[in-house]
């Protein structure tokens, strides 16, 4: 199996998760504000949740089902990059399409980290994975995420009422679906 690559941007390193990340993931992800807008995370979120999540990621890559990177902030000096979030794409090979998802720890919001990580991920998706299209679903109540998608020039394609049910509760959320075609990405760069 081809090893998952590491991607670098001016401030970030996007790398494979490893078991040693579980404490840090639990620390970052144990946040109600973060979980309320994510499909796959619940609150509270502990080290065992992080361990289970991390343990699934490498086989997902090996099977070509998804690719998830830890988003790490590189220090100005040469010290180790600090894990601050995650970004991934769930792959639909039949349609040569992927669905983008991401989160950043609350202490790091508002610094352009998600935007920078999304740009790197889109480049990887189109140029390395050869996808034809990337989509992203964003809850209507999450304008920060919609703004990230707009900043990377994804275009809203749909608005679906009560489309997402949060953790088997009575809470049904409206969803905006964004998309970006490889042709548009190539025209942009
Ligand atoms: C959404 C999220 C990933 C954004 O991460 P981030 O690193 O802060 O994003 P960026 O700094 O790159 O960009 C955020 C943009 O949203 C804007 N923004 C923040 N809060 C906003 C709000 N309430 N309304 C409108 N825009 C808002 C910021 O001003 C910024 O835009 P700007 O650069 O034009 O000023 C982060 O808040 C997060 O992890 N949230 C919880 C998980 C989540 O929602 N994931 C996405 C699921 S689709």
């Amino acid at each position: 199996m081809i090893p998952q690559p590491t991607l670098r941007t001016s401030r970030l390193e996007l790398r494979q998760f490893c078991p040693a990340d579980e404490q840090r993931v639990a620390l970052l992800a144990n946040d109600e504000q973060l979980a309320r807008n994510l499909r796959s995370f619940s609150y509270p979120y502990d080290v065992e949740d992080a361990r289970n999540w991390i343990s699934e990621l490498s086989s997902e890559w090996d099977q070509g089902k998804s690719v998830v990177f830890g988003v790490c902030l590189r220090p100005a000096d040469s010290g180790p990059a600090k894990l601050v979030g995650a970004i991934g794409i769930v792959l639909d090979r039949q349609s040569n399409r992927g669905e983008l998802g991401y989160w950043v720890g609350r202490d790091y919001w508002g610094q352009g980290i998600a935007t920078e990580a999304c740009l790197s991920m889109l480049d990887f998706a189109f140029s390395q994975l050869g996808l034809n299209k990337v989509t992203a679903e964003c809850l209507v109540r999450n304008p920060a995420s919609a703004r990230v998608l707009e900043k990377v020039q994804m275009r809203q394609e749909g608005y679906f009422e009560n489309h997402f049910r949060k953790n088997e509760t009575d809470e049904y959320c409206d969803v905006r679906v964004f998309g970006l075609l490889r042709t548009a990405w190539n025209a942009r760069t």
Side-chain angles (χ1 to χ4, degrees):
M1 211 47 66
I2 306 166
Q4 187 175 326
T6 295
L7 314 177
R8 285 189 181 78
T9 69
S10 57
R11 290 184 299 164
L12 305 177
E13 181 178 285
L14 273 53
R15 56 134 174 100
Q16 191 173 19
F17 276 97
C18 62
D21 293 323
E22 63 188 34
Q23 298 275 358
R24 178 76 180 152
V25 169
L27 186 74
L28 292 165
N30 186 34
D31 180 344
E32 199 166 8
Q33 288 301 310
L34 191 136
R36 75 187 290 270
N37 289 323
L38 290 172
R39 263 194 306 225
S40 51
F41 281 60
S42 54
Y43 177 80
Y45 188 92
D46 62 20
V47 174
E48 193 179 341
D49 295 318
R51 184 177 306 136
N52 292 337
W53 180 67
I54 290 170
S55 72
E56 290 166 8
L57 300 179
S58 68
S59 69
E60 290 268 314
W61 164 261
D62 290 344
Q63 294 170 57
K65 289 183 177 171
S66 70
V67 54
V68 175
F69 293 94
V71 175
C72 305
L73 195 53
R74 298 187 356 231
D77 59 27
S78 59
K82 191 168 196 176
L83 184 67
V84 297
I87 187 163
I89 287 190
V90 177
L91 299 167
D92 178 345
R93 281 296 180 190
Q94 163 69 28
S95 298
N96 210 18
R97 174 163 51 79
E99 186 185 335
L100 179 66
Y102 45 82
W103 57 266
V104 171
R106 199 201 298 211
D107 288 350
Y108 302 90
W109 289 0
Q111 301 175 34
I113 291 174
T115 304
E116 195 167 320
C118 282
L119 287 169
S120 178
M121 195 64 172
L122 289 168
D123 179 55
F124 177 70
F126 291 121
S127 66
Q128 303 299 313
L129 299 178
L131 298 185
N132 179 58
K133 181 174 187 178
V134 174
T135 61
E137 291 193 0
C138 158
L139 302 189
V140 170
R141 68 175 182 213
N142 190 2
S145 184
R147 179 72 190 128
V148 169
L149 297 171
E150 286 163 1
K151 284 196 289 181
V152 301
Q153 294 182 24
M154 294 187 73
R155 195 175 60 82
Q156 183 173 326
E157 294 185 349
Y159 185 111
F160 299 104
E161 290 182 350
N162 281 13
H163 193 62
F164 167 66
R165 185 181 178 191
K166 183 66 187 165
N167 294 341
E168 299 176 16
T169 63
D170 289 338
E171 191 185 7
Y172 291 91
C173 308
D174 295 348
V175 170
R176 299 168 70 180
V177 179
F178 289 75
L180 181 65
L181 296 177
R182 179 167 49 192
T183 47
W185 174 258
N186 288 341
R188 170 193 172 279
T189 51

